[in-house]
Amino acid sequence: MTMRNRPRAGVVALAAVALTATVLTGPARASGDTAAGAAGHQNTQAAIEAAVAAGVPGVSAEARDSAGVWKSAVGVGNRATGAPRGKSDRFRTGSITDTFVATVLLQMEAERKVSLDDPVERYLPGVVGGNGNDGGAITVRQLLNHTSGLFDYLADVSYYQTYTMGDSFLAHRYDTLTAQQRLQVAFSHAPLFQPGARHAFSHTNDLLAALIVQKVAGRPYEDEVRRRIIGPLELKATSNPGTSSELPRPSSRGYSKLFYDTQPDRIDDVTDLNGSQNWGDGDIISSAHDLNLFYGALMGGKLLPAQQLKELKTTVVNPDLPITSYGLGVEKLTLGCGDIWYHDGGVVGSLTLAAFTEDGRHQLTFNYNGDWDASGIVPILNAEFCGRPSTSG
């Protein structure tokens, strides 16, 4: 598991260590209703509190299961004033945006407006090219399951340093960027491998997928997400920011260790961020409540016909972490008690994870308003879905 949009080695390593240390044991309760709900989610609450005690500023969470809806907020939402985190906070979801885009494309496939096995070139002629990149050799499906081989624009050292680190982030946080600017960064690099050879997550794939939605619909991708998902599900806390740099209220401040190499204890308020910098692959703002409604509806078959839902759940193994596999906008994780599905997302100042059973009847979504430590995430998942107390990673 990696927290999308924040590929710092420390965060990825901590998440991987937490996974390998905690997922291999536990009772088989991941499928269907679990003991966690009946127990009032005390184990989940304890795991969230442990994450905050370890240094996460605050956590906002909601779980839904056969026992009803459970909400929690722990820690601070504003380090300057001491205001607590809110149970209904809105936050930047990062790459959870990808599931919304994939769902729209699968709906379009059901309507025969798109074929997932068509080359990207058919929908975006001339967009993918240069340095061995070939839009004619990559399919739409390979974008969605991240087997295209395209270089991740956010992994470009210069881009990453400019827009996510130190004084440069503070100087550029309000910049408006276009999709074309980010793609230019990606295609200045050769592909990592031939299309279809393996899985490797790349924000470039998701940005192209959003552009395909826009091209086929003839309107902004945001309008299609609103028309097809946000509106019908009445997701009142879910929106696209456009070029706005502000978070809608209620919300907490977001924090980052922008100077972690030289000032590891320094924490900056990074709440304000121009939404265009994550357009299409990480810009959606939502809440734990709305994301649970979305994933519950998606996995419960309310947004896709049976064939498209089957395609969504057809996965390829992540060779970098074989206990995870990637479908079309959702991922599967093998816990010691069984499989759960999830998607994570990270933006500067925010880490989010939405997890759910295959039937969509049990969901947990939680958000950190700090982006530097993912080690408590898997203990939270184990507590909720395996019904056992938190363990340290």
Side-chain angles (χ1 to χ4, degrees), residues 29-89:
R29 292 177 183 157
S31 299
D33 297 333
T34 70
H41 305 273
Q42 291 99 327
N43 291 335
T44 308
Q45 178 72 21
I48 290 171
E49 291 173 356
V52 172
V56 175
V59 180
S60 181
E62 181 192 280
R64 301 172 68 91
D65 58 22
S66 61
V69 179
W70 172 82
K71 294 175 178 284
S72 179
V74 179
V76 296
N78 188 318
R79 297 180 75 246
T81 67
R85 281 225 65 173
K87 295 179 180 179
S88 300
D89 274 356

Side-chain angles (χ1 to χ4, degrees), residues 36-284:
H41 305 273
Q42 291 99 327
N43 291 335
T44 308
Q45 178 72 21
I48 290 171
E49 291 173 356
V52 172
V56 175
V59 180
S60 181
E62 181 192 280
R64 301 172 68 91
D65 58 22
S66 61
V69 179
W70 172 82
K71 294 175 178 284
S72 179
V74 179
V76 296
N78 188 318
R79 297 180 75 246
T81 67
R85 281 225 65 173
K87 295 179 180 179
S88 300
D89 274 356
R90 301 181 185 188
F91 44 79
R92 305 183 196 281
T93 69
S95 288
I96 284 176
T97 298
D98 308 344
T99 316
F100 286 82
V101 174
T103 300
V104 171
L105 279 172
L106 284 163
Q107 289 179 347
M108 288 179 163
E109 184 196 48
E111 297 160 1
R112 301 193 176 184
K113 295 177 180 177
V114 170
S115 171
L116 298 189
D117 295 313
D118 277 345
V120 173
E121 184 73 11
R122 175 172 179 177
Y123 303 102
L124 301 175
V127 171
V128 181
N131 293 307
N133 297 290
D134 182 3
I138 299 167
T139 67
V140 178
R141 189 185 306 275
Q142 289 168 338
L143 296 180
L144 295 181
N145 66 15
H146 294 273
T147 59
S148 73
L150 293 173
F151 185 86
D152 185 349
Y153 74 83
L154 194 58
D156 179 89
V157 173
S158 177
Y159 183 96
Y160 184 76
Q161 291 178 341
T162 299
Y163 292 104
T164 74
M165 295 182 65
D167 287 321
S168 185
F169 168 82
L170 296 174
H172 291 282
R173 65 197 296 183
Y174 299 107
D175 291 0
T176 296
L177 299 181
T178 66
Q180 288 69 31
Q181 285 174 293
R182 290 181 284 155
L183 290 176
Q184 185 176 2
V185 171
F187 302 144
S188 69
H189 297 266
L192 300 178
F193 49 81
Q194 290 296 311
R198 55 160 288 171
H199 165 89
F201 186 88
S202 170
H203 295 88
T204 306
N205 293 324
D206 297 317
L207 181 53
L208 289 167
L211 288 171
I212 291 173
V213 167
Q214 189 158 280
K215 183 65 175 290
V216 173
R219 69 184 83 187
Y221 108 89
E222 302 98 306
D223 290 355
E224 283 299 286
V225 169
R226 190 175 303 112
R227 182 175 74 87
R228 293 171 176 270
I229 300 173
I230 295 174
L233 296 182
E234 299 184 355
L235 305 181
K236 300 184 185 302
T238 304
S239 61
N240 294 84
T243 58
S244 172
S245 299
E246 299 180 354
L247 274 176
R249 296 183 179 179
S251 56
S252 293
R253 308 302 293 176
Y255 298 97
S256 184
K257 294 188 175 184
L258 297 174
F259 300 85
Y260 70 99
D261 283 337
T262 57
Q263 303 176 61
D265 296 327
R266 173 173 168 173
I267 298 174
D268 284 86
D269 185 323
V270 295
T271 309
D272 292 350
L273 177 66
N274 190 310
S276 70
Q277 295 186 18
N278 295 298
W279 180 93
D281 68 324
D283 59 325
I284 284 179

